[in-house]
Amino acid sequence: MARIRFKNVMHAYPPPKGQKPVYALKEINQVWEDESAYALLGPSGCGKTTLLNIISGLLTPSEGEIYFDGQDVTHLPTSERQIAQVFQFPVVYDTMTVFDNLAFPLRNRGMDEAVVKQRVDQIAEMLDLTSSLKKRASGLTADGKQKISLGRGLVRSDVNAILFDEPLTVIDPHLKWQLRSKLKELHQQIGVTMIYVTHDQVEALTFADKVVVMYDGTVVQVGTPIELFNQPKHTFVGYFIGSPGMNILPCTIDQGQPVFHGNLLSTSYPVSSDLSGKLEVGIRPEFVAFADDGIPVAIDKVEDLGRYQVVTVRHESELIKIVVKEDQPIPSENPKIQFNRKHTEIYCDDWVVEGDGHE
Amino acid sequence: MNKTINNKAWWLVVPVLLLVAFNAFIPLMTVVNYAFQETFGDNVFFWEGTTWFEQVLRSERFHDALIRQLLFTGMILAIEVPLGIGVALTMPRKGPWVSVCLVLMALPLLIPWNVVGAMWNIFALPDIGLLGHTLNSIGIDYNFTRQPVSAWMTTVLMDVWHWTSLIVLLCYAGLSSIPDDYYQAAHIDGASRWAIFRYIQLPKMKRVLTIAILLRFMDSFMIYTEPFVLTGGGPGNTTTFLSIDLVKIALGQFDLGPAAAMSLIYFLVVLLICWAFYTIMMRNEEQ
């Protein structure tokens, strides 16, 4: 068990000849607290897997250091870091039985055979693999093989952290849900640090205590699911978390308040007028409502999602999405909308503007 | 919908049938013909039954050639397979050296067999050959035209030089098909270098290795040109392998009956060993 700290970690893969290196990770300072469950969320290619491989030691970062509880492990090989990692695609040792597969990480560390048996039986029980322990691993389905991969990650009791790299991609939806709950349950039982990479926000939000959102090689926000929803620090977080994502609209600032296409909006905090850069206002579709007075819009599209409807409206050339509960009417003539001022945020060059007195 | 029965499509099989007939079946049946009969020319045949087979199977000459053949094949497999795997493991996986290595490896395979024999003959000549002269000048008494041990050493070395590449290339192909995930998982699981070889690389190479061993077995068991050019089967009969002996009987002595019988026995031995090997390898696969 350990607290994992990244200090100015940057990484670039060797570039093709004659080209400048492109940084897959751009300066990350991040602490992974002991015994927490983190989800690492971000689009494909944002550096999630690179970050995991740096923690486990499969990659050495180009710059920066990694500390486990204050010990510099930047150049320590994988085998000495006590990290378990589960990959996106199942890896099984074909010639071994399921039991031997699960026992492999323990036997490699010279554990007593009685302890090995006890641990393997326990993990197999948890993953419903008990009945196939004696079978050859190569004969199993993709689901079964990935369970073995998971099992090999979970079987070690002495690990500093368990890393999951989109481990449920190949698993059937109903099993996916089951296994995710199992992982969560297991985390509560053994309390080891878990870092779970995914690009599926539902998966991230249900699994983790804290979600780390990555975008283009940097960590843009770390927070609980609620924080990410209510106070996105970066337009990407607003857009990526929530369904539909946050409305991001161009604006200007006049007397401390945002102006959107000539319509004065208000925020719960005053904004300084001397901001320079790309200014935008962000509001979640849940906090936009039809009103008698406000910004005049034209209705573009209504999508019925059962318990609520997503209405897309247009003001000038901008599209705004609104979430309307199923029992609420949608005005047919001269619809106007209001933004909830408490949830209206200002972004300058994609980063949130912290107003005076705003947390 | 009514199906019309029309057998005309069978005619399309005729070209293949003709091809198989002329390049396999008819020559084989000719051999069978000679194996059970005696002829004195003029296409006159006398039935001999299994006489030739009994003669061949009882002949000490055949036993000796068969033992030499098994010994030779066993030796070259014992050297080429581990060596081939070893070389394949040390070859680079990416970078500019990959193509250099591949071309170097492929070179021996591109040389015609009789040229290989001639090359090694000159290379090994005790008075002027690079290998032969060097060995003699450092005090090792080496003469492959006179000493059976030298002749064997040279023949085996020549085959290793010529054919190890084939095993290297096949194993390399097998190794290249292993996804990085496997190596990463093995590192995470704390596997030793040996464990990675034993539990990842070897199982993933199993299929190509089976093919490689089968090919090398068949080729070496039927080897003719290279030792024929190098030693001509000598000194004495010490490097006379089955096919060299067969040619001596068939064309040297013109004993067509025993030669035909020996051909069939030879063929069945190759077939039997291949079948047994393949069956054993594939049975393990299913378990």
Side-chain angles (χ1 to χ4, degrees), chain B residues 3-278:
Chain B
K3 277 186 186 168
T4 36
I5 294 176
N6 187 334
N7 285 326
K8 277 184 195 154
W10 284 106
W11 287 106
L12 297 174
V13 184
V14 167
V16 176
L17 278 181
L18 283 177
L19 197 70
V20 172
F22 277 101
N23 81 34
F25 191 69
I26 295 176
L28 186 68
M29 287 323 288
T30 314
V31 173
V32 171
N33 217 20
Y34 279 106
F36 292 94
Q37 301 181 83
E38 168 76 293
T39 178
F40 302 103
D42 287 340
N43 244 353
V44 185
F45 288 90
F46 304 92
W47 180 252
E48 286 285 354
T50 55
T51 317
W52 302 137
F53 289 91
E54 286 166 33
Q55 188 186 318
V56 169
L57 286 174
R58 288 213 188 96
S59 102
E60 207 154 294
R61 177 174 169 181
F62 176 73
H63 294 169
D64 290 348
L66 183 64
I67 289 167
R68 278 193 291 270
Q69 185 67 68
L70 288 169
L71 193 64
F72 176 75
T73 297
M75 276 170 78
I76 67 108
L77 284 178
I79 298 173
E80 287 176 18
V81 172
L83 185 64
I85 294 174
V87 173
L89 285 174
T90 50
M91 269 168 67
R93 297 286 155 69
K94 45 190 149 197
W97 288 102
V98 171
S99 30
V100 176
C101 287
L102 288 178
V103 169
L104 277 179
M105 280 298 142
L107 272 182
L109 299 175
L110 301 175
I111 300 174
W113 297 20
N114 54 345
V115 177
V116 172
M119 267 169 58
W120 276 80
N121 189 316
I122 297 167
F123 182 49
L125 281 177
D127 42 2
I128 56 162
L130 183 62
L131 176 71
H133 185 74
T134 311
L135 284 179
N136 278 306
S137 61
I138 59 171
I140 299 167
D141 185 22
Y142 169 88
N143 188 335
F144 77 94
T145 58
R146 264 189 264 135
Q147 303 151 341
V149 175
S150 301
W152 266 81
M153 197 199 88
T154 318
T155 317
V156 168
L157 206 61
M158 172 178 68
D159 197 82
V160 168
W161 176 84
H162 194 182
W163 289 110
T164 304
S165 299
L166 180 76
I167 297 190
V168 172
L169 291 178
L170 285 168
C171 287
Y172 185 72
L175 286 174
S176 312
S177 69
I178 304 175
D180 266 355
D181 284 5
Y182 278 81
Y183 294 112
Q184 296 187 337
H187 280 300
I188 297 286
D189 290 340
S192 61
R193 184 71 197 83
W194 165 250
I196 290 176
F197 174 71
R198 171 67 186 78
Y199 297 113
I200 296 175
Q201 292 172 324
L202 203 55
K204 294 281 172 197
M205 277 195 293
K206 187 177 160 192
R207 280 162 184 277
V208 283
L209 210 52
T210 306
I211 301 292
I213 292 173
L214 270 180
L215 284 176
R216 278 318 296 136
F217 164 73
M218 287 191 288
D219 270 355
S220 69
F221 210 77
M222 299 186 284
I223 192 167
Y224 176 77
T225 316
E226 296 150 286
F228 180 75
V229 176
L230 181 71
T231 64
N237 271 334
T238 46
T239 56
T240 300
F241 303 123
L242 279 176
S243 60
I244 295 180
D245 204 28
L246 180 62
V247 171
K248 278 185 184 168
I249 296 173
L251 303 180
Q253 304 161 216
F254 222 70
D255 282 337
L256 293 182
M262 184 175 160
S263 301
L264 290 181
I265 295 167
Y266 195 174
F267 171 61
L268 289 176
V269 170
V270 173
L271 205 63
L272 185 76
I273 297 181
C274 285
W275 174 80
F277 176 72
Y278 191 78

Side-chain angles (χ1 to χ4, degrees), chain A residues 93-94 108-109 152 156, chain B residues 184 188-190 199 204 287:
Chain A
Y93 303 106
D94 291 339
N108 282 333
R109 288 170 176 78
R152 280 207 319 274
R156 288 155 62 189
Chain B
Q184 296 187 337
I188 297 286
D189 290 340
Y199 297 113
K204 294 281 172 197
Q287 273 169 5

